[in-house]
Amino acid sequence: MRNKIAAGNWKMNGIEASLSEITFMATQMEGNGEVIFCVPYTLLSQAVEMTKNLGISIGAQNAHFETLGAFTGEISAPMLKDIGVTHVILGHSERRALFGETSEIVARKAIAAHDAGLIAIICVGETLEERESGQAISVVSAQINASIPKSANAQNTIIAYEPVWAIGTGKVPTNDDIAKMHESIRSIIPQGDHMRVLYGGSVKASNAREIFSIPNVDGGLVGGASLKADDFIPIINATKT
Ligand code: PGA
């Protein structure tokens, strides 16, 4: 049995006052799955303190592949571990597209996360052009193979399949396309029966339950709809089995 996950990716959103959404959500949650909030670096320490004993994990949205040194502006995996962070998103499509992250860099970051004792949430996904030219599965398979290091196992790694064209657009692949992609991903990941594979891209309260019930979908990585309790509580509750 793979426990389902509702993971929120706040991206570059949220100030101190936003954290009250998380504590409120903790009082309303009914799902028996796992809940993770990946908040900006500035809120991590407070989020960790606030969510102790609430059944919520706190994650970062990136980490450097080195542990320390002359890398101005960067944050390392051991630094995240030090303040009680448990998860880190790596290789989100925004980082791949806007900040030049390759799958090779993502794999190095994942090794650093594993070495530090963090759970890596490794993101993959095709562009619209790649989907329309029939290459979605081959592109994602190549990303998976190059982004997941040998250190990955079902305990220290979660995969998030996020079609680039579905992120923040309100567009979602058909259930059949999600099912085919997740089946393909599961067939090539290490410890495939046990590693969780999330779907991400325009998950909302209105579609979460349906998407989470597709075979091989173990929950969601949610951007916009994770910021407000009213939107995210039904998504958390859709992890209930
Ligand atoms: P979205 O973003 O839910 O706003 O589409 C998902 C993500 O980028 O992780």
Side-chain angles (χ1 to χ4, degrees):
M1 251 316 272
R2 296 181 304 268
N3 209 17
K4 288 203 196 305
I5 297 173
N9 173 13
W10 278 18
K11 310 192 180 186
M12 197 171 72
N13 298 291
I15 55 172
E16 208 175 349
S18 319
L19 290 171
S20 60
E21 292 290 327
I22 296 181
T23 35
F24 176 68
M25 286 190 241
T27 67
Q28 308 293 309
M29 297 180 335
E30 282 169 14
N32 56 3
E34 292 173 32
V35 181
I36 308 163
F37 282 96
C38 300
V39 299
Y41 289 131
T42 48
L43 300 179
L44 285 172
S45 275
Q46 267 175 289
V48 166
E49 288 307 314
M50 283 173 45
T51 54
K52 279 192 175 140
N53 308 314
L54 291 183
I56 290 173
S57 301
I58 299 300
Q61 302 168 15
N62 183 29
H64 198 259
F65 46 76
E66 296 291 350
T67 54
L68 53 84
F71 301 98
T72 302
E74 292 292 326
I75 305 275
S76 75
M79 289 172 173
L80 297 172
K81 179 73 179 175
D82 181 53
I83 58 166
V85 168
T86 52
H87 293 69
V88 60
I89 297 173
L90 296 174
H92 187 279
S93 69
E94 286 149 19
R95 296 217 54 89
R96 290 178 188 261
L98 305 173
F99 301 97
E101 280 190 22
T102 62
S103 291
E104 290 67 32
I105 292 173
V106 176
R108 288 180 72 187
K109 291 183 170 198
I111 293 169
H114 294 155
D115 285 348
L118 295 176
I119 297 170
I121 304 173
I122 298 178
C123 302
V124 293
E126 82 287 356
T127 63
L128 187 58
E129 204 183 351
E130 289 161 346
R131 159 110 358 223
E132 285 177 344
S133 60
Q135 298 173 75
I137 297 226
S138 62
V139 164
V140 169
S141 300
Q143 285 178 342
I144 291 269
N145 288 330
S147 304
I148 299 183
K150 289 200 169 54
S151 55
N153 60 47
Q155 277 71 49
N156 66 18
T157 303
I158 297 164
I159 305 301
Y161 165 57
E162 301 199 303
V164 176
W165 52 274
I167 293 175
T169 59
K171 294 187 188 133
V172 177
T174 64
N175 290 357
D176 194 44
D177 282 339
I178 294 176
K180 282 199 184 103
M181 182 62 80
H182 278 246
E183 188 184 13
S184 158
I185 291 171
R186 191 164 301 293
S187 73
I188 56 172
I189 53 179
Q191 301 188 318
D193 286 345
H194 303 288
M195 190 176 285
R196 267 83 61 86
V197 183
L198 312 183
Y199 168 79
S202 298
V203 174
K204 296 187 281 286
S206 56
N207 62 17
R209 196 165 290 278
E210 187 179 341
I211 293 172
F212 295 177
S213 68
I214 297 170
N216 293 308
V217 175
D218 303 313
L221 180 57
V222 184
S226 69
L227 293 165
K228 292 274 173 249
D230 283 352
D231 297 325
F232 201 48
I233 287 165
I235 297 173
I236 293 172
N237 294 350
T239 63
K240 193 169 185 167
T241 45

